[in-house]
Amino acid sequence: MVPLIAVNTTAGTGSEGTKFTIITDTERKVKMAIVDKHVTPTLSINNPELMVSLPPSLTAATGLDALTHAIEAYVSTAATPIY
């Protein structure tokens, strides 16, 4: 099997490490999902230098997205303790 490497261009949810891929068709205003274990990368690289040039609005949006996911995980009734 060929290794799949993901290089993040935004920060936030950690979605680059999951089996879920969302494709947005802006013309039709439709989001489509691909759910497959084969899209989960073998290695994910976080390089903050790639994120420095993001517009402030995108930086804020990805930060709030990460915060939302963290709160959701913390208050979830299906949450598991962190050891």
Side-chain angles (χ1 to χ4, degrees):
M1 187 159 111
V2 178
L4 178 63
I5 300 172
V7 179
N8 304 322
T9 56
T10 61
T13 64
S15 61
E16 71 283 346
T18 70
K19 63 180 178 178
F20 300 94
T21 300
I22 304 298
I23 300 170
T24 304
D25 183 337
T26 54
E27 275 188 24
R28 296 186 305 153
K29 298 182 180 179
V30 174
K31 286 189 176 186
M32 299 159 277
I34 297 173
V35 182
D36 191 312
K37 67 180 180 180
H38 294 99
V39 299
T40 306
T42 309
L43 174 69
S44 179
I45 299 171
N46 291 313
N47 183 345
E49 291 182 18
L50 294 175
M51 301 173 205
V52 171
S53 63
L54 292 176
S57 61
L58 186 57
T59 300
T62 58
L64 288 174
D65 190 31
L67 178 62
T68 301
H69 284 279
I71 293 169
E72 177 184 30
Y74 183 74
V75 301
S76 171
T77 57
T80 56
I82 298 173
Y83 297 101

